[in-house]
């Protein structure tokens, strides 16, 4: 029996012949991730931290579209800017690397300021 509320995701990552370069795949999509130059890696492609932040930002765009549609709001466009900072001199936890701060900025067209605030609050509640 399949539970319609459960969503499963899978991704793969493997080292390449270039130190710090990783070949990734999701379903039939393939892409390259580089470790940051500060780690002695190429730093030419998207880094894991940038990919993580991009995933959160894209989730914000997609979910706000879904929420607006379900609420009957005339959202015409949305852009999300996300920024994160990791301070290795002030780790959040000693056992794992975490961003010390992350900020999101939402810009929406087609909805009132009040509706935009409601959408963001609903996004935060998901």
């Amino acid at each position: 029996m399949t539970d319609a509320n459960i969503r499963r995701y899978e991704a793969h990552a493997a080292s390449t012949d270039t130190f710090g370069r990783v070949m990734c795949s999701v379903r039939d999509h393939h892409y390259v991730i580089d470790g940051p130059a500060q780690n002695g890696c190429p730093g030419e492609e998207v880094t894991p931290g940038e990919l993580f932040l991009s995933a959160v930002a894209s989730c914000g765009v997609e979910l706000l579209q879904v929420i607006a549609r379900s609420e009957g709001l005339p959202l015409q466009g949305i852009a999300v800017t996300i920024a994160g900072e990791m301070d290795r001199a002030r780790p959040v936890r000693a056992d794992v690397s975490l961003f010390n701060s992350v900020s999101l900025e939402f810009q929406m067209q087609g909805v009132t300021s009040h509706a935009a605030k409601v959408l963001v609050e609903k996004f935060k509640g998901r």
Side-chain angles (χ1 to χ4, degrees), residues 2-80:
T2 301
D3 185 340
N5 292 316
I6 297 174
R7 297 178 185 174
R8 289 186 174 83
Y9 303 94
E10 186 173 301
H12 302 273
S15 60
T16 66
D17 291 339
T18 301
F19 176 82
R21 179 157 285 162
V22 182
M23 177 58 72
C24 300
S25 61
V26 176
R27 293 176 283 132
D28 60 348
H29 303 278
H30 307 284
Y31 50 96
V32 176
I33 303 291
D34 277 355
Q38 299 94 321
N39 290 353
C41 302
E44 296 166 353
E45 301 292 336
V46 174
T47 67
E50 293 165 331
L51 184 65
F52 174 80
L53 293 174
S54 295
V56 173
S58 67
C59 183
V61 169
E62 182 266 335
L63 274 178
L64 285 180
Q65 288 178 321
V66 169
I67 294 167
R69 182 173 60 189
S70 72
E71 300 284 323
L73 295 172
L75 182 63
Q76 295 171 352
I78 180 165
V80 175

